[in-house]
Amino acid sequence: VETCATVAAMRATAARLRQGGRRLALVPTMGALHDGHLALLAAARARADAVVVSIFVNPTQFGDPRDLALYPRSEAADAALLAGAGADALFLPAAAEIYPPGDETIVETTRLAGVFHGARRPGHFRGVATVVCKLFNIVAPDLAIFGEKDYQQLAVVRRLVRDLHLPVEIVAVPTVRAADGLALSSRNARLAPEDRAAAAVLARALDRAQALAAAGAPVEDLHEALRATVAAEPRARLVGLDIVDAEDFAPVQGRLTRRAGIMLSAEVGGVLLLDQREVDPPAGDR
Ligand code: PAF
């Protein structure tokens, strides 16, 4: 895989990959690649003629410097994995390349960045929106692939693309899960074995909520079931629980009449884990 470390090199490579009207896809990542990322890459390959993967552990989306320092990094293994998975180029910039000295420009989805997960991690979605905008400007892809697991991130990216008229199609890919339901995440590498087993509680809680929604239960019952399921796992601590309308991202109450998204986060063994599920009301209630 051709590796580009600078903006200039990446621009030149992307221009070459787009030659002759070829469609170029970008898969933005923070590395420590796993099967979830390979699913993003496969979706990119299926829709585009050439694929760029970026690996950049973006400092501006981490509030806590300890969290940034602990974020898993495995660049050599990542590059080997990408070579076997059919990526055409890897963008692997240093922080100073993305944030040049004196950098002061930010991109923020002003409402969406400050609610739900964003309210608990101030500045996080500003950092995500800013770096995604920069990556789009550098690579100029026709399409970009994001995982559904980071549900609010996907909404933030869609909003910024719409509001700033960026000519990039956003493709969402369903979450890839381990056999016990745990959503694959680079952070899972930091879980001790007993915490790894406990982490499956997020998926279990979401399964329960999905069954309740399908049976016509009100959103308040979903909240209660999700809280009770996480509380029953002594190694887990609930951090965030939001149930929002899948279209406009407004909080929902009472009986569902349209598709909703559940965003659940919990700390297991000191590691923050996120998961998500879209749920539908029973067919008769839609
Ligand atoms: O989802 C991620 O890995 C990151 O938030 C992203 C989109 C690459 C931006 O840094």
Side-chain angles (χ1 to χ4, degrees), residues 28-30 56 58 61 128 131-132 146 150 153:
T29 82
M30 296 207 297
F56 179 62
N58 174 34
Q61 69 188 72
V128 169
V131 81
V132 165
F146 291 84
D150 296 308
Q153 166 171 288

Side-chain angles (χ1 to χ4, degrees), residues 97-121:
E97 194 66 25
I98 297 294
Y99 296 102
D103 179 280
E104 59 174 312
T105 305
I106 56 170
V107 178
E108 186 162 47
T109 53
T110 50
R111 181 190 70 89
L112 211 42
V115 289
F116 313 128
H117 192 55
R120 294 180 286 272
R121 295 184 74 191

Side-chain angles (χ1 to χ4, degrees), residues 77-252:
D78 288 351
L81 198 71
L82 290 177
D88 295 279
L90 166 61
F91 184 36
L92 194 63
E97 194 66 25
I98 297 294
Y99 296 102
D103 179 280
E104 59 174 312
T105 305
I106 56 170
V107 178
E108 186 162 47
T109 53
T110 50
R111 181 190 70 89
L112 211 42
V115 289
F116 313 128
H117 192 55
R120 294 180 286 272
R121 295 184 74 191
H124 171 71
F125 288 119
R126 183 197 307 140
V128 169
T130 302
V131 81
V132 165
C133 211
K134 285 173 183 261
L135 291 170
F136 286 0
N137 283 332
I138 296 164
V139 178
D142 298 286
L143 60 152
I145 319 284
F146 291 84
E148 277 177 0
K149 183 175 82 67
D150 296 308
Y151 197 64
Q152 191 170 354
Q153 166 171 288
L154 182 59
V156 163
V157 169
R158 283 193 162 130
R159 193 62 53 95
L160 89 88
V161 162
R162 189 199 69 174
D163 292 354
L164 297 180
H165 308 284
L166 302 181
V168 183
E169 180 196 337
I170 303 301
V171 175
V173 172
T175 305
V176 179
R177 297 178 181 279
D180 64 356
L182 177 67
L184 297 196
S185 161
S186 305
R187 289 172 186 269
N188 296 353
R190 286 173 49 201
L191 291 167
E194 55 281 21
D195 293 324
R196 166 63 192 82
V201 71
L202 280 85
R204 263 200 324 276
L206 290 165
D207 286 346
R208 227 180 124 189
Q210 188 167 23
L212 283 170
V219 168
E220 294 68 24
D221 289 6
L222 273 57
H223 272 276
E224 207 180 292
L226 285 152
R227 282 182 192 285
T229 309
V230 175
E233 170 48 69
R235 306 187 85 87
R237 183 180 69 81
L238 183 75
V239 173
L241 170 57
D242 303 291
I243 305 183
V244 299
D245 185 90
E247 285 297 314
D248 64 12
F249 243 73
V252 287

Side-chain angles (χ1 to χ4, degrees), residues 247-285:
E247 285 297 314
D248 64 12
F249 243 73
V252 287
Q253 292 173 340
R255 283 174 78 86
L256 289 180
T257 52
R258 323 198 287 180
R259 176 166 293 182
I262 304 174
M263 293 181 283
L264 177 65
S265 56
E267 224 179 61
V268 182
V271 181
L272 179 67
L273 299 174
L274 271 63
D275 204 349
Q276 141 287 331
R277 188 74 54 89
E278 284 193 328
V279 295
D280 289 306
D285 292 4

